[in-house]
Amino acid sequence: MSELESTAGPVRVLVWGENRHEQLQPEVAKIYPEGMHNTIRQGIEENLGHKAKVTTATLDDPEHGLTEEVLSATDVLVWWGHAAHAEVADEVVERVHAHVLAGMGLLVLHSGHWSKIFGKLMGTSCTLRWRSERDREIVWTVDPTHPIAQGVPHPFIIPEQEMYGEFFDIPAPDELVFLSSFSGGEVFRSGCTFKRGFGKIFFFSPGDQDYPVYHHKDVRRVIANGVEWARTERPERTSPVLLRYETEDFYNGHGYKGAMQN
Amino acid sequence: MSELESTAGPVRVLVWGENRHEQLQPEVAKIYPEGMHNTIRQGIEENLGHKAKVTTATLDDPEHGLTEEVLSATDVLVWWGHAAHAEVADEVVERVHAHVLAGMGLLVLHSGHWSKIFGKLMGTSCTLRWRSERDREIVWTVDPTHPIAQGVPHPFIIPEQEMYGEFFDIPAPDELVFLSSFSGGEVFRSGCTFKRGFGKIFFFSPGDQDYPVYHHKDVRRVIANGVEWARTERPERTSPVLLRYETEDFYNGHGYKGAMQN
Amino acid sequence: MSELESTAGPVRVLVWGENRHEQLQPEVAKIYPEGMHNTIRQGIEENLGHKAKVTTATLDDPEHGLTEEVLSATDVLVWWGHAAHAEVADEVVERVHAHVLAGMGLLVLHSGHWSKIFGKLMGTSCTLRWRSERDREIVWTVDPTHPIAQGVPHPFIIPEQEMYGEFFDIPAPDELVFLSSFSGGEVFRSGCTFKRGFGKIFFFSPGDQDYPVYHHKDVRRVIANGVEWARTERPERTSPVLLRYETEDFYNGHGYKGAMQN
Amino acid sequence: MSELESTAGPVRVLVWGENRHEQLQPEVAKIYPEGMHNTIRQGIEENLGHKAKVTTATLDDPEHGLTEEVLSATDVLVWWGHAAHAEVADEVVERVHAHVLAGMGLLVLHSGHWSKIFGKLMGTSCTLRWRSERDREIVWTVDPTHPIAQGVPHPFIIPEQEMYGEFFDIPAPDELVFLSSFSGGEVFRSGCTFKRGFGKIFFFSPGDQDYPVYHHKDVRRVIANGVEWARTERPERTSPVLLRYETEDFYNGHGYKGAMQN
């Protein structure tokens, strides 16, 4: 009797933070004294315990802390950026993109909607409407059996938060997990999943440098759920390929030697 | 530090088989001497081991073996029927339907496409084209990160099988996991997931009384994967409800007392 | 040179109204003196002009005005009901269901979410949360290229309306066109499309007997857009069928003579 | 009484062809003596007549014939490329991408699956399996009410064609219209729709330089249907934007002055 193997060991999570607001704005540093990436990391550890091994990296690390070696050892990358999207090197974006298509999970948080990596994966402008005026955000579950929605009340309430509103220019998500309303009357598709290549992506909009959202119990739980969900189900990390297959040979594709390589 | 609780204990699976062909047709009994339901059960046990507790029930059991008590103790119901769909009591179909909406998982296999319960959950005719002439079926994965697709080759091949072809009158599935081709040239959406209410449904078309498909290693693995996937993520079994909520009271809905109850 | 034929002639629309509140409640009759069905009819005529031929029927007509003859001459049925869902005869529901699967378009408005026909097509409980306390409803477009969303502002605002909120127990819609927020903070998937069989279905939640919503310019435009969208693209009205096809004969299916007919 | 305006005038179609095989390979020139782009153009004209105004452009035109002026006057762009994807200037790809997000329709044909523009819009590798060995391709409709599927038999058969097979690395399409099987046993999602920004995209795989597929009556009809479908429903061509909105001012967004512009 053989049993289904499950993906072995704790999920290896890398929380990437831009880490600029915390350095430049005392009011942000007050909310996130160890940096937003560390607060996010703690929220994941708090919920996943020994089931996760969480590290961090920031924009100002060499290669933004996102070397080939680091990414190869990462199951799920969590991305927070805002003021310095343009400073992320294109070469690193290409590298992260290749890893996502090959099976690395990706969580994109809040203002990461306008990061290079999210735009590259979505193919759209990822624009939206916004206002930072201490709106109350109410987060509603519309996919109650989804693993990402477990363990949080329906709805959960964020007392003060930046407003993100529709139209949000993304592809129709594979799964719509959460919808948010704001006290000003706007709505937003605040929890969306996508698959791209062999990678799983979760976009979750709550979270901002000006509000203590990453200290919010339910937000932390959702991010931890998202990390568990985004780990790929495939045992190996390989890229989708273009191969020629002989008739009746379904398994041994031959490397393409066509015009694209020239 | 608190950790995410996972759904505790082995998944409780009930394999329901019509069990008529095996009684009436010696050629079927030869392929499935213990009944198709037992062959399906063994395939799940072989793959899930101690992670599942599998029992069986058949059409000719009292209430078809699908009492309120039995369903309440079932996490995932696996359904195979063909010649006697019409003999399944409407009352039992209502009961199974209510349990699916409240969170019981459901796997519908092959000719179960035309069962009362599948039609009731889909809302469509569930018709298709067919031919039982020993076509070769090739099953291709189109959602390679899906948990149901793990552990089987891409593609996997069923040497002889009944042909099921498009147009298959179902709602567009939430996820399309497998596509099949047949040696006669037909195609079929052979692995489809749906969510209805709080329940998860997986339709998987390979399998027939006239071919030894439920002895096929990869088919057995997919069914076992489907069982694991279909277990609901919600901790309790409750039904969706229609309730009135006061302004600013998001959590204490009041029982509806409207026209529908009269 | 041949050109693509378009579906000829005006769309034949039947607006079905329960027509009970208007008879029993003076405050409703004041808002809808000719009955809600006639107000809805006028909104469609106002927008579609000679492109539509609109008639009405009500619950108290013989066979609810939904005879085989009437349905056969209807391209799109618009459904409003609320207090008397249970009085709609099952036989008529079966008839409407068969016509939808065979290609008749269907618009389900507001409290029609709990009609027998909508539940039968969805396969779910179609429950939701609600409150009739003069909330402001704001309707946001999340699919801006959809034909149903053309010609209305983003967002459009309904000053006073019944609140419908999530979780709304429906299958994930094929297309999510509108999201609504309410002044109490709730959100709702207020414009959803579904295909079932050969029929197209549009659910649109704004509209209630206690508020003058069907006099609202933008609501009228959306309903008219929905009518145009829901007309089937297929030239004939036929039902999906289950047929056997010989190998290499892709076009001449043979009538099924199996167990279901016995 | 006002009536719904329809998008005025004939659809302005631009067929873009790489036009290299036809110049370099006599066997291709024999099948497509006027160039593949002209055969595709003729197929659209044959089906749409006065409802379309079709022009062509090729890789070796200045700016590949895809200037800002040309794209601004194009409702739907049809793209065929194969051997020289890499020669398409990145600047032109950016321009086409911006027009698609702003509302220009796009049809991507066959080997265009690996074009820069399709990859940029999808965000994935768009790889697949292939073999050019005169397989018979059978194209099955799985969305029978879709406008793109009207007027062609179910199935339609292409006697000889290059095989394209799964896994095709694309995002799950918004709508799956066609599935193909090949005589070698492979399957392919051969007709897929996507929305990106305000633009509509149809990918259709039949068609190759080595086979006379663009002379095939049903293939021509599908492409013409696709052209009609891909025309945007929005009256103007504008890009999605990121704007700040004051509380209670839903309509007058203010230009973003944030970090991204620095």
Side-chain angles (χ1 to χ4, degrees):
Chain A
M1 182 184 295
S2 74
E3 295 182 17
L4 296 183
E5 60 283 354
S6 52
T7 312
V11 55
R12 299 165 300 171
V13 186
L14 178 61
V15 178
W16 189 89
E18 189 181 279
N19 196 32
R20 286 283 174 83
H21 290 284
E22 302 92 318
Q23 309 302 320
L24 301 170
Q25 295 172 261
E27 68 277 18
V28 176
K30 196 171 166 189
I31 303 174
Y32 299 108
E34 299 176 70
M36 299 177 73
H37 48 290
N38 275 309
T39 304
I40 294 167
R41 175 182 60 74
Q42 289 156 7
I44 298 168
E45 291 174 339
E46 178 183 270
N47 280 284
L48 298 186
H50 68 276
K51 292 193 289 179
K53 185 173 172 304
V54 194
T55 55
T56 64
T58 65
L59 179 63
D60 292 324
D61 292 341
E63 300 188 49
H64 315 321
L66 300 168
T67 61
E68 182 62 35
E69 192 182 356
V70 165
L71 293 176
S72 295
T74 299
D75 293 318
V76 180
L77 175 64
V78 180
W79 192 278
W80 193 95
H82 177 240
H85 290 316
E87 292 182 44
V88 177
D90 289 342
E91 184 191 337
V92 173
V93 175
E94 292 292 331
R95 195 185 295 153
V96 173
H97 184 254
H99 273 274
V100 172
L101 296 192
M104 182 177 72
L106 179 68
L107 263 66
V108 176
L109 301 180
H110 192 62
S111 43
H113 77 89
W114 226 17
S115 62
K116 290 181 181 178
I117 183 61
F118 192 60
K120 187 173 178 69
L121 284 161
M122 296 294 105
T124 56
S125 72
C126 301
T127 51
L128 45 74
R129 64 173 66 198
W130 68 279
R131 174 182 62 243
S132 188
E133 296 286 352
R134 307 195 173 280
D135 278 65
R136 178 181 67 174
E137 177 173 358
I138 309 182
V139 186
W140 301 86
T141 297
V142 291
D143 190 349
T145 70
H146 201 286
I148 293 180
Q150 303 314 303
V152 293
H154 172 68
F156 65 88
I157 298 174
I158 303 170
E160 293 189 334
Q161 162 69 321
E162 187 180 17
M163 181 279 288
Y164 272 11
E166 299 284 345
F167 174 63
F168 182 24
D169 178 24
I170 50 169
D174 294 341
E175 298 169 309
L176 181 61
V177 183
F178 298 117
L179 286 178
S180 287
S181 70
F182 295 85
S183 37
E186 289 85 358
V187 295
F188 197 65
R189 289 170 289 175
S190 51
C192 300
T193 76
F194 306 89
K195 290 178 182 173
R196 293 296 183 266
F198 299 142
K200 299 166 83 174
I201 302 164
F202 176 52
F203 174 79
F204 184 54
S205 66
D208 189 77
Q209 73 279 0
D210 292 328
Y211 305 90
V213 179
Y214 294 119
H215 295 285
H216 189 292
K217 179 175 175 295
D218 299 322
V219 169
R220 289 160 85 102
R221 174 67 187 253
V222 168
I223 293 172
N225 287 345
V227 161
E228 288 210 302
W229 172 86
R231 184 185 219 176
T232 190
E233 302 281 345
R234 301 176 74 244
E236 76 277 22
R237 182 165 300 177
T238 55
S239 301
V241 286
L242 193 149
L243 292 175
R244 183 185 180 285
Y245 286 77
E246 301 281 355
T247 303
E248 291 294 312
D249 183 354
F250 297 116
Y251 301 110
N252 302 289
H254 307 295
Y256 184 62
K257 293 286 178 292
M260 281 292 274
Q261 271 71 24
N262 297 339
Chain B
M1 182 184 296
S2 75
E3 296 182 16
L4 296 182
E5 61 283 353
S6 53
T7 312
V11 55
R12 299 165 300 172
V13 186
L14 177 62
V15 179
W16 189 90
E18 188 181 280
N19 197 31
R20 287 284 174 83
H21 290 285
E22 302 93 317
Q23 309 302 320
L24 301 169
Q25 296 171 261
E27 67 277 17
V28 176
K30 196 172 167 189
I31 303 174
Y32 298 109
E34 299 176 69
M36 300 178 72
H37 50 289
N38 275 310
T39 304
I40 294 167
R41 176 182 59 72
Q42 289 157 6
I44 298 169
E45 292 173 339
E46 178 183 87
N47 280 284
L48 297 185
H50 69 276
K51 293 193 289 180
K53 184 171 173 303
V54 194
T55 54
T56 64
T58 65
L59 179 63
D60 292 325
D61 292 342
E63 300 188 49
H64 315 321
L66 300 168
T67 61
E68 183 61 35
E69 190 183 357
V70 165
L71 293 175
S72 296
T74 299
D75 293 317
V76 180
L77 176 64
V78 181
W79 192 278
W80 194 96
H82 177 241
H85 291 316
E87 293 182 44
V88 178
D90 289 343
E91 184 192 337
V92 173
V93 174
E94 292 292 330
R95 194 186 295 153
V96 173
H97 184 254
H99 273 274
V100 172
L101 296 192
M104 183 178 71
L106 179 68
L107 264 64
V108 176
L109 300 180
H110 191 62
S111 43
H113 77 89
W114 226 17
S115 61
K116 290 181 181 177
I117 183 60
F118 191 59
K120 187 173 178 69
L121 284 161
M122 296 295 106
T124 57
S125 72
C126 301
T127 50
L128 45 76
R129 65 173 66 198
W130 68 279
R131 174 182 60 244
S132 188
E133 297 287 352
R134 308 196 172 280
D135 278 63
R136 177 182 69 175
E137 177 173 359
I138 309 182
V139 185
W140 300 86
T141 297
V142 291
D143 190 348
T145 70
H146 201 287
I148 293 179
Q150 304 313 304
V152 294
H154 173 67
F156 64 90
I157 299 174
I158 303 170
E160 292 189 336
Q161 162 70 321
E162 187 180 17
M163 181 279 289
Y164 272 12
E166 299 283 346
F167 174 62
F168 182 24
D169 178 24
I170 50 170
D174 294 342
E175 298 169 309
L176 181 61
V177 183
F178 298 116
L179 286 178
S180 288
S181 69
F182 294 85
S183 37
E186 288 85 359
V187 295
F188 197 66
R189 289 171 289 175
S190 50
C192 300
T193 76
F194 307 89
K195 290 178 181 172
R196 293 296 183 267
F198 300 142
K200 299 167 83 175
I201 302 163
F202 176 52
F203 173 79
F204 185 53
S205 65
D208 190 76
Q209 73 279 0
D210 292 328
Y211 305 91
V213 178
Y214 294 120
H215 295 286
H216 189 292
K217 178 176 176 292
D218 299 322
V219 169
R220 290 160 84 102
R221 174 68 186 255
V222 168
I223 293 171
N225 287 345
V227 161
E228 288 210 304
W229 172 86
R231 183 185 220 176
T232 191
E233 302 280 346
R234 302 176 74 246
E236 76 277 23
R237 181 166 299 177
T238 56
S239 301
V241 285
L242 194 148
L243 292 176
R244 184 184 181 285
Y245 286 77
E246 300 282 355
T247 304
E248 291 293 313
D249 183 354
F250 298 116
Y251 301 111
N252 302 289
H254 307 295
Y256 184 63
K257 293 282 178 294
M260 281 291 276
Q261 272 70 25
N262 298 340
Chain C
M1 182 185 296
S2 75
E3 295 182 17
L4 296 183
E5 60 284 355
S6 52
T7 312
V11 55
R12 299 166 300 173
V13 186
L14 178 62
V15 178
W16 190 88
E18 188 181 279
N19 196 32
R20 287 283 174 83
H21 290 285
E22 303 93 318
Q23 309 302 319
L24 301 170
Q25 296 171 261
E27 68 277 17
V28 176
K30 196 173 167 188
I31 303 174
Y32 299 109
E34 300 176 71
M36 299 178 72
H37 49 290
N38 275 309
T39 304
I40 295 167
R41 176 182 60 74
Q42 290 157 6
I44 297 169
E45 292 174 339
E46 178 184 271
N47 280 284
L48 298 184
H50 69 276
K51 293 193 289 181
K53 186 172 171 303
V54 193
T55 54
T56 64
T58 64
L59 178 63
D60 292 325
D61 292 340
E63 299 188 49
H64 315 321
L66 300 168
T67 61
E68 182 62 34
E69 191 182 356
V70 166
L71 293 176
S72 296
T74 299
D75 293 317
V76 179
L77 176 64
V78 181
W79 192 278
W80 194 95
H82 178 240
H85 291 315
E87 293 182 43
V88 178
D90 288 344
E91 184 191 337
V92 173
V93 174
E94 292 291 331
R95 196 186 294 154
V96 172
H97 185 255
H99 273 274
V100 172
L101 296 192
M104 183 177 71
L106 179 68
L107 264 65
V108 175
L109 301 180
H110 191 63
S111 42
H113 77 89
W114 226 16
S115 61
K116 290 181 181 176
I117 182 60
F118 192 60
K120 186 172 179 68
L121 283 160
M122 296 294 104
T124 57
S125 72
C126 300
T127 50
L128 45 75
R129 65 172 66 199
W130 68 279
R131 173 181 63 243
S132 188
E133 297 286 352
R134 308 196 171 282
D135 277 65
R136 177 182 69 174
E137 176 173 359
I138 309 182
V139 185
W140 301 85
T141 296
V142 291
D143 189 349
T145 70
H146 201 287
I148 293 179
Q150 303 313 303
V152 293
H154 173 68
F156 65 89
I157 299 174
I158 302 171
E160 293 189 335
Q161 163 69 323
E162 186 179 18
M163 181 280 287
Y164 272 12
E166 299 284 346
F167 173 64
F168 182 24
D169 177 24
I170 51 170
D174 294 341
E175 298 169 310
L176 181 61
V177 183
F178 299 117
L179 286 178
S180 288
S181 70
F182 294 85
S183 37
E186 288 86 357
V187 295
F188 197 66
R189 289 171 290 175
S190 51
C192 299
T193 76
F194 307 89
K195 290 177 180 171
R196 292 296 183 267
F198 300 142
K200 299 166 81 175
I201 301 163
F202 177 52
F203 174 78
F204 185 54
S205 65
D208 189 77
Q209 73 280 359
D210 291 328
Y211 305 90
V213 179
Y214 294 120
H215 295 286
H216 190 292
K217 180 176 174 294
D218 299 323
V219 169
R220 289 160 84 102
R221 172 69 186 252
V222 168
I223 293 172
N225 287 345
V227 160
E228 287 209 304
W229 172 85
R231 184 186 220 176
T232 190
E233 302 280 345
R234 300 177 74 245
E236 75 277 23
R237 181 165 301 176
T238 56
S239 299
V241 286
L242 193 148
L243 291 175
R244 183 184 181 284
Y245 286 76
E246 300 282 355
T247 303
E248 291 294 312
D249 184 354
F250 298 116
Y251 301 111
N252 302 289
H254 308 294
Y256 184 61
K257 293 284 178 294
M260 280 292 274
Q261 271 70 26
N262 297 340
Chain D
M1 181 185 296
S2 75
E3 296 182 17
L4 296 182
E5 61 284 354
S6 52
T7 313
V11 56
R12 298 166 301 172
V13 185
L14 178 61
V15 178
W16 190 89
E18 187 182 280
N19 197 32
R20 286 284 175 83
H21 290 286
E22 303 92 318
Q23 309 302 319
L24 299 170
Q25 295 170 263
E27 68 277 17
V28 176
K30 196 173 167 189
I31 302 174
Y32 298 108
E34 300 176 69
M36 299 178 72
H37 49 291
N38 274 310
T39 303
I40 295 167
R41 176 183 58 75
Q42 289 156 8
I44 298 169
E45 291 174 339
E46 179 183 87
N47 279 284
L48 298 185
H50 69 277
K51 292 193 288 180
K53 186 171 170 302
V54 193
T55 54
T56 64
T58 65
L59 178 63
D60 292 325
D61 292 340
E63 300 188 50
H64 315 322
L66 300 169
T67 62
E68 182 62 36
E69 192 183 356
V70 165
L71 293 175
S72 296
T74 299
D75 293 318
V76 179
L77 176 63
V78 181
W79 192 278
W80 194 95
H82 177 240
H85 290 316
E87 294 182 43
V88 178
D90 289 344
E91 184 192 337
V92 173
V93 174
E94 292 291 331
R95 195 185 296 152
V96 173
H97 184 254
H99 273 274
V100 172
L101 296 192
M104 183 177 71
L106 179 68
L107 264 66
V108 175
L109 301 180
H110 191 62
S111 42
H113 76 90
W114 227 16
S115 61
K116 290 181 180 178
I117 183 61
F118 191 61
K120 187 172 178 68
L121 284 160
M122 296 294 105
T124 56
S125 71
C126 300
T127 50
L128 45 75
R129 64 174 66 198
W130 68 278
R131 173 181 62 243
S132 189
E133 297 286 352
R134 308 196 171 281
D135 278 64
R136 178 181 69 174
E137 177 173 359
I138 308 181
V139 185
W140 300 86
T141 296
V142 291
D143 189 348
T145 70
H146 201 286
I148 293 180
Q150 303 312 304
V152 294
H154 173 67
F156 66 89
I157 299 174
I158 302 170
E160 293 188 335
Q161 163 69 323
E162 187 180 18
M163 180 280 287
Y164 272 12
E166 298 285 345
F167 173 64
F168 182 25
D169 177 24
I170 50 170
D174 294 341
E175 298 169 309
L176 181 61
V177 183
F178 298 117
L179 286 179
S180 288
S181 69
F182 294 85
S183 37
E186 288 86 358
V187 294
F188 197 66
R189 290 170 289 175
S190 51
C192 299
T193 76
F194 306 90
K195 289 178 181 172
R196 293 295 183 269
F198 300 143
K200 299 165 82 175
I201 301 163
F202 176 53
F203 173 79
F204 185 53
S205 65
D208 189 77
Q209 73 279 0
D210 292 328
Y211 305 91
V213 178
Y214 293 120
H215 295 286
H216 189 291
K217 180 176 175 293
D218 299 323
V219 169
R220 290 160 84 102
R221 174 69 186 254
V222 168
I223 293 172
N225 287 345
V227 161
E228 287 210 303
W229 172 85
R231 185 185 218 175
T232 191
E233 303 280 346
R234 300 176 75 244
E236 76 277 21
R237 181 165 301 175
T238 56
S239 300
V241 286
L242 193 149
L243 292 175
R244 183 185 181 284
Y245 285 78
E246 301 281 355
T247 303
E248 290 295 313
D249 183 354
F250 298 116
Y251 301 111
N252 303 289
H254 306 295
Y256 184 63
K257 293 285 179 291
M260 282 289 277
Q261 272 70 27
N262 299 339

